[in-house]
Amino acid sequence: MPRAFFSLATFQRLRSTWVRAELRASTALDLSSPPFSLGPWGGHGDKHRDPVGLGRATLLSSVPVKERVKVSQNWRLGRCREGTLLKWRCSQMPWMQLEDDSLYISQANFILAYQFRPDGASLNRRPLGVFAGHDEDVCHFVLASSHIISAGGDGKIGVHKIHSNFAVKYSAHEQEVNCVDCKGGIIVSGSRDRTAKVWPLASGRLGQCLHTIQTEDRVWSIAISPLLSSFVTGTACCAHFSPLRIWDLNSGQLMTHLGSDFPPGAGVLDVTYESPSTLLSCGYDTYVRYWDLRTSVRKCVMEWEEPHDSTLYCLQTDGNHLLATGSSYYGVVRLWDRRQRACLHAFPLTSTPLSSPVYCLRFTTTHLYAALSYNLHVLDFKNP
């Protein structure tokens, strides 16, 4: 067979065509994150917040393209290796946060800090720190301004400085504090006692309530807007027709409610802002809903239904197309491409005898972490 010879111009055209094809393939896979968006790889476009809440996002320039392609394909195809990072003997309802190379997780009335090993799929066994102070279980906590702000079943809020011995605990509600958030030096809390409250973080004013809001329902979730002008409460949807309401942070007055025609008991267990005008919610009615306040406050822009009719305890987003949810049965973690209605992948993390909700989940560019009743699980998409 005769050999083919190309002129320099033809070779350059072919090379240009190949490069464009490679770029199109890269865009199709969206190599910049797991698996679809720019956020966790360090190219996030939202200046207001990190929707993943990680702080340990890998810089784009430090990750080889080949590695990004591999990891992106693993997320897209659901290829991962499951492991167990921590176990505990008694059933817990743990909450979790990631920051830099550390993982913070609540166990009973403590919050423990662990350091990741370089592989991201294991932890150093000895905790970096133990933060105590509550008389009952920690229900929820956030990391903000080098502080841990915790909500307890004892009706109290705890404030710990991460790198010092400073710790304050004060009575906040008459019943357990189910949720808390903190941004811009302001703390908001929600409780079973059907109130939400606003507090200052300033050390000289800790425990001084700025506003008390009667919500008419138990408050399960709460989040401050990135603009620091308002906050949203997710309630039980028993006494009030809407489980999602937005309040003015400065005055404590109701600004609006989201949605309509919610069935009784459609409580919202998790809510998170992606930007000042967009947020995601999930809960007892088995739906994840995406709200855009610029479009409508009465109807969500998009919704995804849990296919097995399970309550959704928690959600996490990369700020673009990837969405992860934790279900109430069998420790099921689901990955969703928000451009599609159907679930992309499902990972059951427990067997029938040990069925557990996924109480909290977080993910990085290469790993997903899920906290269940007896274990902390990891899904490793880097080395499946």
Side-chain angles (χ1 to χ4, degrees), residues 239-258:
H240 193 275
F241 66 91
S242 175
L244 283 167
R245 280 171 282 174
I246 296 178
W247 311 85
D248 186 276
L249 197 57
N250 295 316
S251 67
Q253 297 299 307
L254 177 66
M255 297 174 65
T256 188
H257 67 268
L258 302 183

Side-chain angles (χ1 to χ4, degrees), residues 282-301:
C282 69
Y284 283 113
D285 70 346
T286 76
Y287 281 91
V288 178
R289 290 184 172 89
Y290 177 58
W291 307 87
D292 191 332
L293 307 182
R294 299 164 298 186
T295 303
S296 173
V297 295
R298 296 296 172 258
K299 186 173 179 58
C300 63
V301 176

